[in-house]
Amino acid sequence: MTITTKVFGEITIDEDKIIHFPAGIIGFPELTEFAMLHDEDAGLVSVHWLQSVQEPAFAMPVIDPLLVKEDYNPEVDDELLKPLGDLQQEDVLVLVTLTVPQDLTKMTVNLKGPVIINSRNRIACQSIIDGEQYKVKFPIYDILQARKAGE
């Protein structure tokens, strides 16, 4: 299938690469099909995009939370994970959404609402983590600068 996206222009997506979110994503329950696209110019942080197949203007930048919080290990309700099917540890891909405002020093990730993907069957969900352990707007600019200086 070919779609024209806001971020990547016209792209072709293989049907067997589509990630299905049976319950949609938070704030957009009607968006249930996404493709994972990769930003080749991301540099230090490997930025991926969850590109909606149904709404080509909608794409969410996401990253591996372990890049900015090495001890990230949220508890997710087993009931929420049931729609993902038989979930084996090696099949779990956890991503968090990235917000990049004009002032890059205010860049954040949402550690409270991870995206969990069963990479084997490409079924996913977005969860809300209970408690105060993780923030919706976790600042990452200084963390990324420190990593960059260390490399």
Side-chain angles (χ1 to χ4, degrees):
M1 110 178 24
T2 301
I3 62 173
T4 303
T5 71
K6 183 177 179 180
V7 176
F8 293 96
E10 188 173 290
I11 59 169
T12 301
I13 300 169
D14 292 335
E15 295 280 340
D16 63 348
K17 300 285 187 198
I18 292 176
I19 300 167
H20 302 278
F21 286 75
I25 58 170
I26 296 170
F28 301 92
E30 71 283 1
L31 299 181
T32 58
E33 295 186 342
F34 289 82
M36 178 99 61
L37 305 178
H38 307 284
D39 189 344
E40 301 297 333
D41 300 323
L44 176 68
V45 176
S46 185
V47 175
H48 310 284
W49 293 80
L50 282 176
Q51 171 65 56
S52 171
V53 174
Q54 296 134 309
E55 178 51 61
F58 185 86
M60 293 188 311
V62 293
I63 66 169
D64 180 342
L66 298 177
L67 292 172
V68 294
K69 185 150 179 61
E70 292 177 7
D71 63 347
Y72 186 69
N73 189 18
E75 281 191 34
V76 178
D77 185 356
D78 288 342
E79 198 63 33
L80 237 152
L81 298 177
K82 278 186 180 177
L84 302 187
D86 181 27
L87 198 57
Q88 303 299 317
Q89 187 64 35
E90 64 270 11
D91 297 328
V92 176
L93 175 61
V94 177
L95 300 168
V96 292
T97 56
L98 174 69
T99 301
V100 184
Q102 278 193 306
D103 180 355
L104 293 180
T105 64
K106 304 218 183 311
M107 192 178 340
T108 62
V109 292
N110 179 355
L111 296 178
K112 199 155 184 78
V115 171
I116 302 150
I117 302 170
N118 181 335
S119 62
R120 190 174 21 84
N121 63 12
R122 294 174 321 283
I123 297 177
C125 69
Q126 187 176 19
S127 176
I128 297 290
I129 305 304
D130 290 332
E132 301 301 317
Q133 182 179 7
Y134 298 113
K135 296 180 179 181
V136 172
K137 292 188 176 199
F138 181 74
I140 63 169
Y141 181 80
D142 290 340
I143 296 167
L144 295 177
Q145 289 306 308
R147 283 184 61 130
K148 187 176 180 182
E151 290 190 4

